[in-house]
Coordinates of all heavy atoms in Angstrom, one line a residue:
I15 N -161.1 -36.9 -148.1 CA -161.7 -35.6 -147.7 C -161.9 -34.8 -149.0 O -161.1 -34.7 -149.9 CB -160.7 -35.0 -146.9 CG1 -160.4 -35.7 -145.5 CG2 -161.2 -33.6 -146.4 CD1 -159.5 -35.1 -144.5
R16 N -163.1 -34.4 -149.1 CA -163.4 -33.5 -150.2 C -162.8 -32.1 -150.1 O -162.6 -31.6 -149.0 CB -165.1 -33.3 -150.2 CG -165.9 -34.5 -150.5 CD -167.2 -34.3 -150.5 NE -167.8 -33.3 -149.6 CZ -168.4 -33.7 -148.3 NH1 -168.3 -34.9 -147.9 NH2 -168.8 -32.7 -147.5
D17 N -162.6 -31.5 -151.2 CA -161.9 -30.1 -151.4 C -162.7 -29.1 -150.5 O -162.2 -28.2 -150.0 CB -161.7 -29.7 -152.9 CG -160.7 -30.5 -153.5 OD1 -159.8 -31.2 -152.8 OD2 -160.7 -30.5 -154.7
E18 N -164.0 -29.2 -150.7 CA -164.8 -28.2 -150.0 C -165.1 -28.5 -148.5 O -165.7 -27.8 -147.8 CB -166.1 -28.0 -150.7 CG -166.9 -29.3 -150.8 CD -166.7 -30.3 -152.0 OE1 -165.8 -29.7 -152.8 OE2 -167.2 -31.3 -152.1
E19 N -164.3 -29.5 -148.0 CA -164.5 -30.0 -146.5 C -164.0 -28.8 -145.6 O -162.9 -28.3 -145.9 CB -163.7 -31.2 -146.2 CG -163.9 -31.6 -144.8 CD -165.2 -32.1 -144.6 OE1 -165.8 -32.9 -145.3 OE2 -165.8 -31.8 -143.4
S20 N -164.8 -28.3 -144.6 CA -164.3 -27.3 -143.9 C -163.7 -27.7 -142.6 O -163.1 -26.9 -141.9 CB -165.6 -26.4 -143.4 OG -166.5 -27.2 -142.6
G21 N -163.7 -29.1 -142.3 CA -163.0 -29.5 -141.1 C -163.8 -29.2 -139.8 O -164.9 -28.8 -139.9
Y22 N -163.0 -29.4 -138.6 CA -163.6 -29.1 -137.4 C -162.9 -27.9 -136.8 O -161.7 -27.5 -137.1 CB -163.3 -30.3 -136.5 CG -163.9 -31.6 -137.0 CD1 -163.2 -32.5 -137.8 CD2 -165.1 -32.0 -136.7 CE1 -163.8 -33.6 -138.3 CE2 -165.7 -33.2 -137.1 CZ -165.0 -34.0 -137.8 OH -165.6 -35.1 -138.3
N23 N -163.7 -27.2 -136.0 CA -163.2 -26.0 -135.3 C -162.0 -26.4 -134.4 O -162.1 -27.4 -133.7 CB -164.3 -25.4 -134.5 CG -163.8 -24.0 -133.9 OD1 -162.8 -23.9 -133.3 ND2 -164.7 -23.0 -134.1
K24 N -160.9 -25.7 -134.3 CA -159.8 -26.1 -133.5 C -160.1 -26.0 -132.0 O -159.4 -26.7 -131.1 CB -158.5 -25.3 -133.8 CG -158.6 -23.9 -133.4 CD -157.2 -23.3 -133.8 CE -157.2 -21.8 -133.2 NZ -155.9 -21.2 -133.5
N25 N -161.1 -25.2 -131.7 CA -161.5 -25.1 -130.2 C -162.1 -26.4 -129.7 O -162.3 -26.5 -128.5 CB -162.5 -23.9 -130.1 CG -161.8 -22.6 -130.4 OD1 -160.6 -22.5 -130.1 ND2 -162.6 -21.8 -131.0
L26 N -162.5 -27.4 -130.5 CA -163.0 -28.6 -130.1 C -161.9 -29.7 -129.6 O -162.2 -30.7 -129.1 CB -163.8 -29.2 -131.2 CG -165.0 -28.4 -131.7 CD1 -165.6 -29.2 -133.0 CD2 -166.1 -28.4 -130.6
F27 N -160.7 -29.2 -129.9 CA -159.5 -30.1 -129.5 C -158.6 -29.5 -128.6 O -158.5 -28.3 -128.4 CB -158.7 -30.5 -130.8 CG -159.6 -31.1 -131.9 CD1 -160.4 -30.4 -132.7 CD2 -159.8 -32.5 -131.8 CE1 -161.3 -30.9 -133.8 CE2 -160.7 -33.1 -132.8 CZ -161.5 -32.3 -133.6
C28 N -157.7 -30.2 -127.9 CA -156.6 -29.8 -127.2 C -155.4 -29.6 -128.0 O -154.7 -30.6 -128.4 CB -156.3 -30.8 -125.9 SG -157.5 -30.9 -124.8
I29 N -155.1 -28.4 -128.4 CA -154.0 -28.1 -129.3 C -152.8 -27.7 -128.5 O -153.0 -26.7 -127.6 CB -154.4 -27.0 -130.3 CG1 -155.7 -27.4 -131.0 CG2 -153.3 -26.8 -131.3 CD1 -155.7 -28.5 -131.9
P30 N -151.6 -28.3 -128.7 CA -150.4 -27.7 -128.0 C -150.2 -26.3 -128.2 O -150.5 -25.7 -129.3 CB -149.3 -28.6 -128.6 CG -150.0 -29.7 -129.2 CD -151.4 -29.3 -129.6
K31 N -149.7 -25.6 -127.3 CA -149.6 -24.1 -127.5 C -148.8 -23.7 -128.6 O -149.0 -22.7 -129.2 CB -148.9 -23.5 -126.0 CG -149.8 -23.6 -124.9 CD -150.5 -22.3 -124.7 CE -151.2 -22.2 -123.4 NZ -152.6 -21.7 -123.6
H32 N -147.7 -24.4 -128.8 CA -146.8 -24.0 -129.8 C -147.4 -24.3 -131.3 O -146.8 -23.8 -132.2 CB -145.4 -24.7 -129.8 CG -145.5 -26.2 -129.8 ND1 -145.8 -27.0 -128.7 CD2 -145.3 -27.1 -130.8 CE1 -145.8 -28.1 -129.0 NE2 -145.6 -28.4 -130.4
Y33 N -148.6 -24.8 -131.4 CA -149.3 -25.0 -132.7 C -150.5 -24.1 -132.8 O -151.0 -23.8 -133.8 CB -149.8 -26.4 -132.9 CG -148.6 -27.3 -133.3 CD1 -148.5 -28.6 -132.4 CD2 -147.7 -27.0 -134.2 CE1 -147.5 -29.4 -132.7 CE2 -146.7 -27.9 -134.5 CZ -146.6 -29.2 -133.7 OH -145.5 -30.0 -134.1
E34 N -150.9 -23.4 -131.7 CA -152.1 -22.7 -131.7 C -152.2 -21.5 -132.7 O -153.3 -21.5 -133.5 CB -152.4 -22.0 -130.3 CG -153.0 -23.0 -129.3 CD -153.2 -22.3 -127.9 OE1 -152.7 -21.2 -127.8 OE2 -153.8 -23.0 -127.1
E35 N -151.2 -20.9 -132.9 CA -151.2 -19.7 -133.9 C -151.2 -20.3 -135.3 O -151.6 -19.6 -136.3 CB -150.0 -18.7 -133.6 CG -150.2 -18.0 -132.2 CD -151.4 -17.2 -132.2 OE1 -151.9 -16.5 -133.2 OE2 -152.3 -17.2 -131.1
D36 N -150.6 -21.4 -135.6 CA -150.4 -22.0 -136.9 C -151.5 -22.8 -137.4 O -151.7 -23.0 -138.6 CB -149.0 -22.9 -137.0 CG -147.7 -22.0 -136.6 OD1 -147.7 -20.9 -137.0 OD2 -147.0 -22.6 -135.9
L37 N -152.4 -23.2 -136.5 CA -153.5 -24.2 -136.9 C -154.8 -23.4 -137.0 O -155.2 -22.7 -136.0 CB -153.5 -25.3 -135.8 CG -154.4 -26.3 -136.1 CD1 -153.9 -27.2 -137.4 CD2 -154.5 -27.3 -134.9
E38 N -155.5 -23.6 -138.1 CA -156.6 -22.8 -138.2 C -157.9 -23.9 -137.9 O -158.8 -23.5 -137.4 CB -156.8 -22.4 -139.7 CG -158.1 -21.6 -140.1 CD -158.1 -21.0 -141.4 OE1 -157.1 -20.7 -141.9 OE2 -159.2 -21.1 -141.9
R39 N -157.8 -25.1 -138.5 CA -158.8 -26.1 -138.4 C -158.3 -27.6 -138.3 O -157.2 -27.6 -138.8 CB -159.8 -26.0 -139.6 CG -160.5 -24.7 -139.6 CD -161.7 -24.6 -140.7 NE -162.8 -25.2 -140.3 CZ -163.6 -24.8 -139.2 NH1 -163.3 -23.8 -138.6 NH2 -164.8 -25.5 -139.0
V40 N -159.1 -28.3 -137.8 CA -158.6 -29.8 -137.8 C -159.5 -30.6 -138.8 O -160.6 -30.5 -138.9 CB -158.8 -30.5 -136.4 CG1 -158.5 -31.9 -136.4 CG2 -157.9 -29.7 -135.4
F41 N -158.7 -31.1 -139.8 CA -159.5 -31.9 -140.8 C -159.7 -33.4 -140.5 O -160.7 -33.9 -140.9 CB -158.6 -31.8 -142.2 CG -158.9 -30.4 -142.8 CD1 -157.8 -29.5 -142.7 CD2 -160.0 -30.1 -143.5 CE1 -157.9 -28.3 -143.2 CE2 -160.1 -28.9 -144.1 CZ -159.0 -27.9 -143.9
I42 N -158.8 -34.0 -139.9 CA -159.0 -35.4 -139.5 C -158.7 -35.6 -138.0 O -157.5 -35.6 -137.6 CB -158.0 -36.4 -140.3 CG1 -158.3 -36.2 -141.8 CG2 -158.3 -37.8 -139.9 CD1 -157.3 -36.9 -142.6
P43 N -159.7 -35.8 -137.1 CA -159.4 -36.0 -135.7 C -158.7 -37.2 -135.4 O -158.7 -38.2 -136.2 CB -160.8 -36.1 -135.1 CG -161.7 -35.7 -136.2 CD -161.1 -35.8 -137.5
H44 N -157.8 -37.2 -134.4 CA -157.0 -38.3 -134.0 C -157.8 -39.7 -133.8 O -157.2 -40.7 -134.2 CB -156.2 -37.9 -132.7 CG -155.2 -38.9 -132.2 ND1 -155.4 -39.7 -131.2 CD2 -154.1 -39.3 -132.9 CE1 -154.2 -40.5 -131.1 NE2 -153.5 -40.3 -132.0
G45 N -158.9 -39.5 -133.2 CA -159.8 -40.8 -133.0 C -160.1 -41.3 -134.3 O -160.1 -42.7 -134.3
L46 N -160.4 -40.6 -135.3 CA -160.7 -41.1 -136.6 C -159.5 -42.0 -137.2 O -159.5 -42.9 -137.8 CB -161.2 -40.1 -137.5 CG -161.6 -40.5 -139.0 CD1 -162.8 -41.6 -138.8 CD2 -162.0 -39.3 -139.9
I47 N -158.2 -41.2 -137.1 CA -157.0 -41.9 -137.5 C -156.7 -43.2 -136.9 O -156.4 -44.2 -137.5 CB -155.8 -40.9 -137.3 CG1 -156.1 -39.7 -138.3 CG2 -154.6 -41.6 -137.6 CD1 -155.1 -38.6 -138.0
L48 N -157.0 -43.2 -135.5 CA -156.8 -44.5 -134.8 C -157.8 -45.4 -135.3 O -157.3 -46.7 -135.4 CB -157.0 -44.3 -133.2 CG -155.8 -43.5 -132.7 CD1 -156.1 -43.2 -131.1 CD2 -154.5 -44.1 -132.8
D49 N -159.1 -45.2 -135.5 CA -160.1 -46.1 -136.0 C -159.7 -46.6 -137.3 O -159.7 -48.0 -137.5 CB -161.5 -45.4 -136.0 CG -162.5 -46.4 -136.5 OD1 -162.8 -47.3 -135.6 OD2 -163.0 -46.1 -137.6
R50 N -159.2 -45.9 -138.2 CA -158.8 -46.4 -139.5 C -157.6 -47.2 -139.5 O -157.4 -48.1 -140.2 CB -158.6 -45.1 -140.5 CG -159.9 -44.3 -140.7 CD -160.9 -45.2 -141.4 NE -160.4 -45.7 -142.7 CZ -160.7 -46.9 -143.2 NH1 -161.5 -47.7 -142.5 NH2 -160.1 -47.2 -144.4
T51 N -156.7 -46.8 -138.5 CA -155.5 -47.7 -138.3 C -155.8 -49.0 -137.9 O -155.3 -50.1 -138.4 CB -154.6 -47.0 -137.4 OG1 -154.3 -45.6 -137.8 CG2 -153.2 -47.7 -137.2
E52 N -156.8 -49.1 -136.9 CA -157.2 -50.4 -136.4 C -157.8 -51.2 -137.5 O -157.7 -52.4 -137.7 CB -158.1 -50.3 -135.2 CG -158.7 -51.6 -134.7 CD -159.6 -51.3 -133.5 OE1 -159.9 -50.3 -133.1 OE2 -159.9 -52.4 -132.9
R53 N -158.6 -50.5 -138.3 CA -159.3 -51.3 -139.5 C -158.2 -51.7 -140.6 O -158.5 -52.8 -141.1 CB -160.3 -50.1 -140.1 CG -161.1 -50.8 -141.3 CD -161.9 -52.0 -140.8 NE -162.1 -53.0 -141.8 CZ -163.0 -53.9 -141.7 NH1 -163.9 -54.0 -140.9 NH2 -163.1 -54.8 -142.7
L54 N -157.3 -51.0 -140.8 CA -156.2 -51.4 -141.7 C -155.6 -52.7 -141.1 O -155.2 -53.6 -141.9 CB -155.2 -50.1 -141.9 CG -154.0 -50.5 -142.8 CD1 -154.5 -50.9 -144.1 CD2 -153.1 -49.2 -142.9
A55 N -155.3 -52.6 -139.9 CA -154.7 -53.9 -139.3 C -155.6 -55.0 -139.4 O -155.2 -56.2 -139.7 CB -154.5 -53.5 -137.6
R56 N -156.8 -54.9 -139.2 CA -157.7 -56.0 -139.4 C -157.8 -56.5 -140.9 O -157.8 -57.7 -141.2 CB -159.1 -55.6 -139.0 CG -159.5 -55.5 -137.5 CD -160.8 -54.9 -137.3 NE -161.0 -54.7 -135.9 CZ -161.8 -55.3 -135.0 NH1 -162.6 -56.2 -135.4 NH2 -161.9 -55.0 -133.7
D57 N -157.8 -55.6 -141.7 CA -157.8 -55.9 -143.1 C -156.5 -56.7 -143.6 O -156.5 -57.6 -144.2 CB -157.9 -54.7 -144.1 CG -159.2 -54.0 -144.1 OD1 -160.1 -54.7 -143.6 OD2 -159.3 -52.8 -144.6
I58 N -155.4 -56.2 -142.9 CA -154.1 -56.8 -143.2 C -154.1 -58.3 -142.7 O -153.8 -59.2 -143.4 CB -152.9 -56.0 -142.6 CG1 -152.6 -54.8 -143.3 CG2 -151.7 -56.9 -142.5 CD1 -151.6 -53.8 -142.7
M59 N -154.7 -58.5 -141.5 CA -154.7 -59.8 -140.8 C -155.5 -60.7 -141.7 O -155.2 -61.9 -141.9 CB -155.1 -59.7 -139.4 CG -154.0 -59.1 -138.5 SD -152.5 -60.0 -138.5 CE -153.0 -61.5 -137.6
Q60 N -156.7 -60.2 -142.2 CA -157.6 -61.0 -142.9 C -156.9 -61.4 -144.3 O -157.1 -62.5 -144.8 CB -158.9 -60.2 -143.2 CG -159.9 -61.0 -144.0 CD -161.2 -60.2 -144.2 OE1 -161.3 -58.9 -143.8 NE2 -162.3 -60.8 -144.7
D61 N -156.2 -60.3 -145.0 CA -155.7 -60.6 -146.3 C -154.5 -61.5 -146.2 O -154.2 -62.3 -147.2 CB -155.4 -59.3 -147.0 CG -156.6 -58.6 -147.4 OD1 -157.7 -59.0 -147.4 OD2 -156.5 -57.3 -147.6
I62 N -153.8 -61.4 -145.1 CA -152.5 -62.1 -145.0 C -152.6 -63.5 -144.9 O -151.7 -64.4 -145.2 CB -151.5 -61.4 -144.0 CG1 -150.0 -61.8 -144.3 CG2 -151.9 -62.0 -142.7 CD1 -149.4 -60.9 -145.4
G63 N -153.7 -64.0 -144.3 CA -153.9 -65.4 -144.0 C -153.0 -65.9 -143.0 O -152.9 -65.3 -141.9
S64 N -152.3 -66.9 -143.2 CA -151.4 -67.5 -142.3 C -149.8 -67.2 -142.8 O -148.9 -67.8 -142.2 CB -151.4 -69.1 -142.1 OG -151.2 -69.7 -143.4
H65 N -149.6 -66.3 -143.7 CA -148.3 -65.9 -144.1 C -147.5 -65.0 -143.1 O -148.1 -64.3 -142.3 CB -148.4 -65.2 -145.5 CG -148.9 -66.1 -146.5 ND1 -150.2 -66.1 -146.9 CD2 -148.2 -66.9 -147.6 CE1 -150.3 -66.9 -147.9 NE2 -149.2 -67.4 -148.3
H66 N -146.2 -65.1 -143.2 CA -145.3 -64.4 -142.3 C -145.6 -62.8 -142.8 O -145.6 -62.5 -144.0 CB -144.0 -64.8 -142.5 CG -143.0 -64.2 -141.8 ND1 -141.7 -64.8 -141.3 CD2 -142.7 -62.9 -141.3 CE1 -141.0 -64.0 -140.7 NE2 -141.6 -62.9 -140.7
I67 N -145.6 -61.9 -141.8 CA -145.7 -60.5 -142.0 C -144.3 -60.0 -141.8 O -143.6 -60.2 -140.8 CB -146.5 -59.9 -141.0 CG1 -148.1 -60.3 -141.2 CG2 -146.6 -58.4 -141.2 CD1 -149.0 -59.8 -140.2
V68 N -143.9 -59.3 -142.9 CA -142.6 -58.5 -142.8 C -143.0 -57.0 -142.7 O -143.5 -56.5 -143.8 CB -141.7 -58.8 -144.0 CG1 -140.4 -57.9 -143.9 CG2 -141.3 -60.2 -144.0
A69 N -142.8 -56.3 -141.7 CA -143.3 -54.9 -141.5 C -142.0 -54.1 -141.6 O -141.1 -54.2 -140.9 CB -143.9 -54.7 -140.2
L70 N -142.0 -53.2 -142.6 CA -140.9 -52.2 -142.8 C -141.3 -50.8 -142.6 O -142.2 -50.3 -143.3 CB -140.3 -52.4 -144.3 CG -139.2 -51.7 -144.7 CD1 -137.9 -52.2 -143.9 CD2 -139.0 -51.9 -146.2
C71 N -140.6 -50.1 -141.7 CA -141.0 -48.8 -141.4 C -139.9 -47.8 -142.0 O -138.7 -48.0 -141.9 CB -141.0 -48.5 -139.9 SG -141.3 -46.7 -139.4
V72 N -140.4 -46.7 -142.7 CA -139.6 -45.7 -143.2 C -139.4 -44.7 -142.1 O -140.3 -44.1 -141.6 CB -140.1 -45.0 -144.4 CG1 -139.2 -43.8 -144.9 CG2 -140.3 -46.0 -145.5
L73 N -138.2 -44.6 -141.5 CA -138.0 -43.8 -140.3 C -138.2 -42.3 -140.6 O -138.0 -41.7 -141.6 CB -136.5 -44.1 -139.8 CG -136.4 -45.3 -139.0 CD1 -135.0 -45.5 -138.6 CD2 -137.3 -45.3 -137.7
K74 N -138.2 -41.7 -139.3 CA -138.6 -40.3 -139.1 C -140.0 -40.1 -139.2 O -140.7 -40.1 -138.3 CB -137.8 -39.4 -140.0 CG -136.3 -39.4 -139.8 CD -135.8 -38.6 -138.6 CE -134.3 -38.7 -138.4 NZ -133.7 -37.8 -137.5
G75 N -140.5 -39.9 -140.4 CA -142.0 -39.6 -140.5 C -143.0 -40.6 -140.2 O -144.1 -40.3 -139.9
G76 N -142.8 -41.9 -140.4 CA -143.7 -43.0 -140.3 C -143.7 -43.7 -139.0 O -144.5 -44.8 -138.8
Y77 N -142.8 -43.4 -138.1 CA -142.7 -44.3 -137.0 C -143.9 -44.3 -135.9 O -144.3 -45.5 -135.5 CB -141.4 -43.9 -136.1 CG -141.7 -42.7 -135.1 CD1 -142.2 -42.8 -133.8 CD2 -141.7 -41.4 -135.6 CE1 -142.5 -41.7 -133.0 CE2 -141.9 -40.3 -134.9 CZ -142.3 -40.5 -133.5 OH -142.7 -39.4 -132.7
K78 N -144.7 -43.3 -135.9 CA -145.8 -43.3 -134.9 C -146.9 -44.1 -135.6 O -147.6 -44.9 -134.9 CB -146.2 -41.9 -134.6 CG -147.6 -41.8 -133.8 CD -147.2 -42.3 -132.4 CE -148.4 -42.0 -131.5 NZ -148.6 -43.2 -130.5
F79 N -147.2 -43.9 -136.9 CA -148.3 -44.7 -137.4 C -147.9 -46.2 -137.5 O -148.7 -47.0 -137.2 CB -148.5 -44.2 -139.0 CG -149.2 -45.1 -139.8 CD1 -150.6 -45.3 -139.6 CD2 -148.6 -46.0 -140.8 CE1 -151.4 -46.2 -140.3 CE2 -149.3 -46.8 -141.5 CZ -150.7 -47.0 -141.4
F80 N -146.6 -46.5 -137.9 CA -146.0 -47.8 -137.8 C -146.3 -48.4 -136.5 O -146.7 -49.6 -136.4 CB -144.6 -47.7 -138.2 CG -144.0 -49.1 -138.3 CD1 -144.2 -50.0 -139.5 CD2 -143.0 -49.6 -137.5 CE1 -143.6 -51.1 -139.6 CE2 -142.5 -50.8 -137.6 CZ -142.7 -51.5 -138.7
A81 N -145.9 -47.8 -135.4 CA -146.0 -48.4 -134.1 C -147.6 -48.6 -133.7 O -147.9 -49.8 -133.1 CB -145.4 -47.4 -133.1
D82 N -148.4 -47.7 -134.0 CA -149.8 -47.9 -133.8 C -150.4 -49.1 -134.6 O -151.1 -49.9 -134.0 CB -150.6 -46.6 -134.1 CG -150.3 -45.5 -133.2 OD1 -149.8 -45.7 -132.0 OD2 -150.7 -44.3 -133.6
L83 N -150.0 -49.2 -135.9 CA -150.5 -50.2 -136.7 C -150.0 -51.6 -136.2 O -150.7 -52.5 -136.0 CB -150.0 -50.0 -138.1 CG -150.4 -51.1 -139.1 CD1 -151.9 -51.2 -139.2 CD2 -149.8 -50.8 -140.5
L84 N -148.7 -51.7 -135.8 CA -148.1 -52.9 -135.3 C -148.8 -53.3 -134.0 O -149.0 -54.4 -133.7 CB -146.6 -52.8 -135.1 CG -145.8 -53.1 -136.3 CD1 -144.4 -53.0 -136.0 CD2 -146.3 -54.3 -136.9
D85 N -149.2 -52.3 -133.1 CA -149.8 -52.6 -131.9 C -151.2 -53.3 -132.1 O -151.5 -54.3 -131.5 CB -150.1 -51.3 -131.1 CG -148.8 -50.9 -130.4 OD1 -147.8 -51.6 -130.2 OD2 -148.8 -49.6 -130.0
H86 N -151.9 -52.7 -133.1 CA -153.2 -53.4 -133.4 C -153.1 -54.8 -134.2 O -153.8 -55.6 -133.7 CB -153.9 -52.5 -134.5 CG -154.5 -51.2 -133.8 ND1 -155.4 -51.1 -132.8 CD2 -154.3 -49.9 -134.2 CE1 -155.6 -50.0 -132.5 NE2 -155.0 -49.1 -133.3
I87 N -152.0 -54.9 -134.9 CA -151.8 -56.2 -135.5 C -151.4 -57.2 -134.6 O -151.8 -58.4 -134.4 CB -150.6 -56.1 -136.6 CG1 -151.3 -55.4 -137.9 CG2 -150.2 -57.4 -137.0 CD1 -150.3 -55.1 -139.0
K88 N -150.5 -56.8 -133.5 CA -150.2 -57.7 -132.4 C -151.3 -58.2 -131.5 O -151.4 -59.3 -131.2 CB -149.0 -57.1 -131.6 CG -147.6 -57.0 -132.2 CD -146.7 -56.3 -131.4 CE -145.3 -56.2 -132.1 NZ -144.3 -55.4 -131.3
A89 N -152.3 -57.2 -131.2 CA -153.3 -57.4 -130.4 C -154.2 -58.5 -131.1 O -154.8 -59.5 -130.6 CB -154.1 -56.2 -130.2
L90 N -154.4 -58.4 -132.5 CA -155.3 -59.3 -133.3 C -154.6 -60.6 -133.3 O -155.2 -61.7 -133.3 CB -155.5 -58.7 -134.6 CG -156.4 -57.5 -134.8 CD1 -156.3 -56.8 -136.1 CD2 -157.8 -57.8 -134.4
N91 N -153.3 -60.6 -133.5 CA -152.6 -61.8 -133.6 C -152.5 -62.6 -132.2 O -152.7 -63.9 -132.3 CB -151.0 -61.4 -133.8 CG -150.3 -62.5 -134.7 OD1 -150.8 -63.5 -135.1 ND2 -149.0 -62.4 -134.6
Q92 N -152.5 -61.9 -131.1 CA -152.6 -62.6 -129.8 C -154.0 -63.1 -129.4 O -154.2 -64.0 -128.8 CB -152.2 -61.6 -128.6 CG -150.7 -61.3 -128.7 CD -150.2 -60.2 -127.8 OE1 -151.1 -59.7 -127.2 NE2 -149.0 -60.1 -127.7
N93 N -155.0 -62.3 -129.9 CA -156.3 -62.6 -129.5 C -157.1 -63.4 -130.5 O -158.4 -63.7 -130.4 CB -157.2 -61.3 -129.2 CG -156.5 -60.6 -128.0 OD1 -156.0 -61.2 -127.1 ND2 -156.5 -59.3 -128.1
G94 N -156.5 -63.6 -131.7 CA -157.2 -64.3 -132.7 C -157.0 -65.9 -132.7 O -156.3 -66.4 -131.8
D95 N -157.7 -66.5 -133.6 CA -157.6 -67.9 -133.6 C -156.3 -68.4 -134.3 O -156.1 -69.7 -134.3 CB -158.8 -68.6 -134.3 CG -159.1 -68.0 -135.7 OD1 -158.6 -67.1 -136.0 OD2 -160.0 -68.7 -136.4
K96 N -155.6 -67.6 -134.9 CA -154.3 -68.0 -135.6 C -153.2 -67.0 -135.2 O -153.5 -65.8 -134.8 CB -154.5 -68.0 -137.1 CG -154.9 -66.5 -137.6 CD -155.0 -66.6 -139.1 CE -155.5 -65.2 -139.6 NZ -155.8 -65.2 -141.0
S97 N -152.0 -67.5 -135.1 CA -150.9 -66.7 -134.7 C -149.9 -66.5 -136.0 O -149.5 -67.7 -136.5 CB -150.1 -67.1 -133.6 OG -149.0 -66.4 -133.1
V98 N -149.6 -65.4 -136.5 CA -148.7 -65.2 -137.6 C -147.5 -64.6 -137.2 O -147.4 -63.6 -136.4 CB -149.5 -64.2 -138.6 CG1 -148.6 -64.0 -139.8 CG2 -150.8 -64.8 -139.0
P99 N -146.2 -65.2 -137.6 CA -145.0 -64.5 -137.3 C -144.9 -63.1 -137.9 O -145.3 -62.9 -139.0 CB -144.1 -65.5 -137.8 CG -144.7 -66.4 -138.8 CD -146.2 -66.3 -138.5
I100 N -144.2 -62.3 -137.1 CA -144.0 -60.9 -137.7 C -142.5 -60.5 -137.5 O -141.9 -60.8 -136.5 CB -144.9 -60.0 -136.8 CG1 -146.4 -60.3 -136.9 CG2 -144.6 -58.6 -137.2 CD1 -147.2 -59.4 -135.9
T101 N -142.0 -60.0 -138.5 CA -140.6 -59.6 -138.6 C -140.7 -58.0 -138.8 O -141.4 -57.6 -139.7 CB -139.9 -60.1 -139.7 OG1 -139.8 -61.6 -139.6 CG2 -138.3 -59.6 -139.8
V102 N -140.0 -57.3 -137.9 CA -140.1 -55.8 -138.0 C -138.6 -55.3 -138.5 O -137.6 -55.7 -137.9 CB -140.5 -55.1 -136.7 CG1 -140.4 -53.7 -136.7 CG2 -141.8 -55.7 -136.3
D103 N -138.6 -54.4 -139.3 CA -137.3 -53.6 -139.7 C -137.6 -52.3 -140.0 O -138.7 -51.9 -140.2 CB -136.7 -54.4 -140.8 CG -135.1 -54.5 -140.9 OD1 -134.6 -53.5 -140.2 OD2 -134.5 -55.1 -141.7
F104 N -136.4 -51.5 -140.1 CA -136.6 -50.0 -140.3 C -135.5 -49.6 -141.4 O -134.5 -50.2 -141.5 CB -136.2 -49.3 -138.9 CG -137.0 -49.6 -137.9 CD1 -136.8 -50.7 -137.1 CD2 -138.2 -48.9 -137.6 CE1 -137.5 -51.1 -135.9 CE2 -139.1 -49.2 -136.5 CZ -138.7 -50.3 -135.8
V105 N -136.0 -48.7 -142.1 CA -135.0 -48.1 -143.2 C -135.1 -46.5 -143.1 O -136.1 -46.0 -142.6 CB -135.5 -48.5 -144.5 CG1 -135.3 -49.9 -144.8 CG2 -136.8 -47.9 -145.0
K106 N -134.0 -45.9 -143.3 CA -133.9 -44.5 -143.4 C -133.6 -44.0 -144.9 O -132.7 -44.6 -145.5 CB -132.7 -44.0 -142.5 CG -132.7 -42.5 -142.4 CD -131.6 -42.1 -141.3 CE -131.6 -40.6 -141.1 NZ -130.6 -40.1 -140.2
I107 N -134.5 -43.2 -145.3 CA -134.3 -42.8 -146.8 C -133.7 -41.3 -146.7 O -134.2 -40.5 -146.1 CB -135.6 -42.9 -147.4 CG1 -136.0 -44.4 -147.4 CG2 -135.5 -42.4 -148.9 CD1 -137.3 -44.6 -148.1
K108 N -132.7 -41.1 -147.7 CA -132.2 -39.7 -147.8 C -133.3 -39.0 -148.6 O -133.9 -39.4 -149.6 CB -131.0 -39.9 -148.6 CG -130.1 -38.7 -148.5 CD -128.7 -39.0 -149.1 CE -127.7 -38.3 -148.5 NZ -126.4 -38.4 -149.1
S109 N -133.5 -37.7 -148.3 CA -134.4 -37.0 -148.9 C -133.9 -36.5 -150.2 O -132.8 -36.5 -150.5 CB -134.5 -35.6 -148.1 OG -135.1 -35.8 -146.8
Y110 N -134.9 -36.4 -151.1 CA -134.7 -35.9 -152.4 C -134.3 -34.4 -152.5 O -134.9 -33.6 -151.9 CB -135.7 -36.2 -153.4 CG -136.0 -37.7 -153.6 CD1 -137.0 -38.4 -152.9 CD2 -135.2 -38.5 -154.5 CE1 -137.2 -39.7 -153.1 CE2 -135.4 -39.9 -154.7 CZ -136.3 -40.4 -154.0 OH -136.6 -41.8 -154.2
C111 N -133.4 -34.1 -153.4 CA -133.0 -32.6 -153.5 C -133.5 -32.0 -154.8 O -133.5 -32.7 -155.8 CB -131.5 -32.4 -153.2 SG -131.0 -32.9 -151.7

């Protein structure tokens, strides 16, 4: 996103009430994030070849993206011509002070 990007008017989206006053504009729509997540999953499956995938999620902040990415990878894994084993694990990292 360029620095001069103005984003999208928040009235084009369904914004939860508790965020309405805090949010001025939307810079990256949810659909675009989902599309890029699916593309990332395709790139991973193409680059990984037939190697085992070890997926590691940093808990709290990354769980939703991680789950979406894994859903796309699993769909590609099930519907593709090859099946790659996937191991999933989670870590919790202490915040820096």
